[in-house]
Structure formats: C-alpha cells, structure tokens
Amino acid sequence: AARLCSGAGGEAEAAGGDGAMLRHLARKLRASGPVTVAEYMREALTNPGQGYYTRRGGVGESGDFITSPEISQVFGELIGIWYISEWMAMGKPNTFQLVELGPGRGTLTEDILRVFKQLASVLSKCDVSVHLVEVSPKLSEIQAVMLTGGKVQPNPEGEPAYMNGISKTGIPIFWYRDIQDVPPGYSFYLAHEFFDALPIHKFQRTEKGWHEVLVDIDPEVPDQLRFVLSPSRTPATQNFIQPEETRDHVEVCPEAGVIVQRLASRIEKDGGAALVADYGHDGTKTDTFRGFRNHKLHDVLSAPGTADLTADVDFSYLRKMAQGKTATLGPIKQREFLKNMGIDLRLQVLLQNSGDTATREQLLHSYDMLMNPEKMGDCFNFFALLPHQRLVHPDKKDKPESKSPLPPVAGFNELLLK
Ligand code: SAH
C-alpha cells in the first residue's frame, strides 16, 4: 500500500526497533527538557547515526511505504515529458540541470532519463546534467547503483558534491546534502514526496492563546514519550501563526518554506521551473502528523528511527513562501495532472504492446493506484513554480497583440507537443 492520505488510516502499529534512538532521545529530554515536534522529527528521520532515512531508507515494496514512481514507470515518464515540454516552451535553452530533492531509490530520475534518451533527437544540442540532493548515505548508494550501475566516486571533503558518476545513458550525476550546494544555472527542480518528510512544528489554540506542542518523556513510564503543551509562547509560536488563523490546531514546516524561497530565487535569477508533487492541502487541515512502518500506520512517538514520519504539505504556505518571485500553478490533483499529461494514451500503447495477461493486469492495477480518487488520484497534488514571463509576456501590457500566445503549461492544461 502507498502512504495513505491523512485521516484515511487504520489502527496504528506500535513498538519495535533496537531502541538506540529512543535511549538517545530520552537522555536528551531528561537533560534539557522537552523538544519541539520539528526537532523530534529531524532526529528521528535524519540523525546521522540513527535516523530512519540514514539507516533504513524505507521506500519501496520491501520497505515501509511505496510511492508513485515505484508503482509505475509511466509516472516518471510523464514527468520527463513535462520537463521536455517546458524546456521547449522556454525556447530550448542549450543547457539545463535536472535537480531532484530526496530521490529515494532513484527510480523517478531513472524513468525521466529513459525519456530523455528516447527523445535524444529533440535534446541533441542540449547539455543535460543531473543533481541529486540526498542526506541519506544508504539511499544515495541505492541511487548510485540504480542510475550508474555503481560507477561513482566519492569526492574529497569540502567539495560541493560529495559523490559523482555518469548515468547509464551517459549523463553526469552529482550528489549533494543541501540544495545550496547545487551550482547555480538554468534548472528543472523536482520534489516528489520530499516536503512531507521535512520537520513540522505543531501548535494548539488554548484559552490563553497559542501554545506549541512539544515532545517530552513520560514521568510515569520509563522511556516512553508523550506530547505536552509549552507552558508559555515559544519563538516559533510568535513567528509562524498568522493573526487571521481560524484553525485550532496548526502544523507549519519552516524548512519547506526556506527551500521554496531558495527555489523561487534561483528560478527568478537563472530560469527553469520546479515541480512539487505530494499529498497535502491548501491551508485547511489541522492534524496530519503520522508514522508508517511496514506499510501500516505507526504511532509517531513509538520506536523513533524505525518508522517513517510525515505530515501533509501545506501548499498555501509554499505559495506564500515563493514571495511572488515566481508564478505558481496548482495544487492540482494527481489524477487531473496525469490525465492532462496523456496517461490514458500511454496506458493504451503499453497494453497493446504487452503480450501476457499478467503484465496487462499489472498495468491496469498500477493505473488504478495512481488515478483512483480513493487511492492516490485525489490526495496527491502537483504544484509548480515558473518564471513570471512563462505565463505572461513581460511587454504584454504595452503591446498585447505583438506577441504570439505563450503555450499553456502541460499537466495544469492539456499537453500540446509540437
Ligand atoms: N522521491 C522519492 C523518495 C521519497 S522519501 C519517491 O517518491 O520515491 C523522502 C526522500 O527525501 C528520501 O530520499 C530521504 O532520504 C530524503 N530526505 C529526507 N529529508 C531530507 C533532507 N532534509 N534533505 C535531503 N533529503 C532528504
């Protein structure tokens, strides 16, 4: 099963693991008091020694959750077409970087690179390179095998990229720990199920105003964690709650905001586009923090480091954090985006080309997973950042009739490839 959208889960599974992360956290909480949910989530997911992504990785059928690129190759292929269509609409610049944040097993990039290879005649004069932002040593190893067949070399400390190699299709690939290390330049960014893994702060409205939800050790039960409310306002309460907020429980992911600001600044300065796909809402949901282990919901405070922790992406917050530096499109539902990108036609071609019943059934099953509104079709969304001039001619106001109309952005409109 895929990670279900918030509120759609069953009973949470608890306990397990060797307890190293729990002991580490318990020591820390006893010594210096409760921590924010964001700090807890960061430790549990990306602590360099014991973090969930650092050690387990989790993505895929044999892991804890499965994602769209792992379900069907069609997903990545259509995203590859999206980049080519945007590259063409922007006048076919002679070089671009494909930058993926949190590439998991590397499947999505692999499927995109296959499309780039199939359309090599279109891209022939374009210099393409791939830049992966990945904190997990374990996952970067899996990506290296998937994309290069293992032919990579580590770089000396102090270099912006910690590893590099050449893809099986001959494209240079670089690995970084932080988006800021990726060289500037015309870039197409991709973040699939990345923002939902970044640490959130949780807040609760009380009679005495807003308080932050913290994680503490339970004084009654040894080594058991519990949620408590901050006794007074924390700095995050002051900074992240809007005066006009009407909800009683709010989740905010400042790290996502900072990354979107960076993407927007880079796109404004050097050109390109960003495609963000994730489950999420438009500033309406209240309590979406949850855990997954072994394809089942998992108590977020139990056995930290052994389960994936996640929260819905607040697209209204991402839009705000782009600060008008770029235009934004979406969020649009996954099933609408994929339909606009031509998934039905692609399915027909694959069905016609597949001889055996098992493959055909598999194709239909994965189509249903991606598109069915009850499965991933409705709760996953696509959201894009694009330079303003991609949507409106800069001199439109002065001479509206002088320019040919800009081509519509595929996915958010029907794909028109010339
Ligand atoms: N995009 C993939 C994987 C999603 S899981 C897919 O859809 O299948 C989240 C990914 O983000 C993992 O690769 C994880 O290691 C990475 N990640 C999590 N936090 C990160 C951070 N702060 N910086 C960079 N990568 C991070």
Side-chain angles (χ1 to χ4, degrees):
R3 288 193 279 192
L4 298 167
C5 302
S6 54
E11 279 291 290
E13 197 196 29
D18 63 8
M21 168 65 78
L22 181 59
R23 285 195 298 278
H24 157 76
L25 278 165
R27 258 197 312 275
K28 186 167 160 168
L29 295 172
R30 266 187 224 105
S32 39
V35 295
T36 62
V37 171
E39 202 174 328
Y40 172 73
M41 205 172 160
R42 186 175 298 112
E43 280 288 316
L45 291 182
T46 55
N47 173 291
Q50 300 293 332
Y52 171 76
Y53 282 117
T54 325
R55 275 181 8 141
R56 251 165 95 110
V59 197
E61 220 158 327
S62 61
D64 296 300
F65 60 94
I66 189 141
T67 60
S68 296
E70 303 293 329
I71 289 171
S72 167
Q73 66 175 74
V74 176
F75 186 82
E77 288 169 357
L78 295 177
I79 290 185
I81 307 248
W82 192 85
Y83 287 115
I84 299 221
S85 133
E86 276 311 293
W87 172 76
M88 289 165 81
M90 294 183 192
K92 302 186 183 176
N94 57 14
T95 174
F96 72 78
Q97 311 188 125
L98 174 68
V99 183
E100 186 176 3
L101 309 177
R105 303 175 58 80
T107 315
L108 189 46
T109 292
E110 169 90 342
D111 293 338
I112 293 174
L113 291 185
R114 196 173 49 253
V115 169
F116 287 0
K117 183 161 189 249
Q118 279 157 359
L119 294 178
S121 59
V122 181
L123 281 171
S124 65
K125 293 199 188 71
C126 185
D127 191 6
V128 180
S129 54
V130 171
H131 304 260
L132 304 177
V133 180
E134 176 57 75
V135 280
S136 160
K138 174 148 187 171
L139 283 172
S140 64
E141 238 173 72
I142 295 175
Q143 293 151 18
V145 172
M146 167 85 75
L147 296 167
T148 71
K151 283 189 228 106
V152 284
Q153 58 185 57
N155 290 337
E157 271 305 298
E159 296 259 322
Y162 62 84
M163 184 165 81
N164 67 282
I166 305 273
S167 83
K168 290 182 242 160
T169 57
I171 290 178
I173 311 190
F174 303 85
W175 277 264
Y176 311 82
R177 292 196 181 83
D178 196 300
I179 176 82
Q180 280 182 292
D181 298 330
V182 177
Y186 192 99
S187 302
F188 288 124
Y189 299 92
L190 176 58
H192 183 261
E193 289 213 27
F194 169 74
F195 283 108
D196 72 81
L198 299 180
I200 54 152
H201 288 268
K202 278 177 82 71
F203 303 99
Q204 193 175 319
R205 196 197 292 273
T206 72
E207 278 165 11
K208 295 194 206 105
W210 285 96
H211 289 259
E212 182 158 6
V213 177
L214 304 174
V215 175
D216 198 4
I217 193 98
D218 190 330
E220 314 274 303
V221 192
D223 283 357
Q224 179 149 323
L225 304 178
R226 59 169 189 171
F227 287 119
V228 293
L229 277 186
S230 64
S232 56
R233 287 165 73 90
T234 61
T237 328
Q238 256 117 4
N239 293 332
F240 298 124
I241 301 286
Q242 304 301 319
E244 66 276 13
E245 182 58 64
T246 55
R247 291 170 289 176
D248 289 337
H249 293 256
V250 174
E251 296 168 340
V252 183
C253 182
E255 218 168 291
V258 169
I259 292 178
V260 164
Q261 275 176 4
R262 294 206 167 114
L263 295 180
S265 303
R266 291 169 75 113
I267 293 169
E268 182 186 38
K269 192 155 163 281
D270 301 318
L275 196 55
V276 175
D278 224 310
Y279 35 74
H281 57 91
D282 229 354
T284 50
K285 286 202 184 172
T286 53
D287 190 6
T288 73
F289 183 39
R290 60 206 186 278
F292 284 93
R293 201 169 79 174
N294 214 356
H295 303 273
K296 290 205 184 81
L297 272 177
H298 176 94
D299 175 1
V300 285
L301 294 184
S302 164
T306 69
D308 172 45
L309 301 181
T310 173
D312 277 18
V313 173
D314 178 350
F315 288 101
S316 68
Y317 179 66
L318 300 193
R319 198 182 300 117
K320 197 157 77 203
M321 296 315 275
Q323 295 173 323
K325 289 181 180 144
T326 61
T328 62
L329 285 179
I332 177 175
K333 288 175 180 154
Q334 169 156 307
R335 69 185 159 88
E336 290 168 18
F337 182 90
L338 296 178
K339 202 162 207 84
N340 284 336
M341 290 305 301
I343 190 169
D344 291 327
L345 195 63
R346 184 75 188 125
L347 177 72
Q348 290 314 322
V349 171
L350 289 172
L351 285 174
Q352 271 158 25
N353 293 348
S354 68
D356 63 297
T357 326
T359 315
R360 293 165 66 90
E361 268 171 19
Q362 174 57 32
L363 284 167
L364 290 168
H365 173 75
S366 52
Y367 175 92
D368 184 59
M369 273 300 279
L370 296 182
M371 297 293 284
N372 190 328
E374 312 265 286
K375 295 176 181 165
M376 299 168 96
D378 263 7
C379 58
F380 279 80
N381 297 276
F382 280 76
F383 174 80
L385 303 180
L386 294 152
H388 287 291
Q389 62 271 28
R390 173 65 182 87
L391 300 181
V392 188
H393 277 303
D395 56 355
K396 183 96 178 167
K397 266 200 237 108
D398 313 331
K399 294 177 273 170
E401 66 297 336
S402 67
K403 295 259 181 177
S404 59
L406 289 158
V409 179
F412 300 87
N413 302 275
E414 220 167 291
L415 171 72
L416 303 168
L417 268 190
K418 292 218 186 77

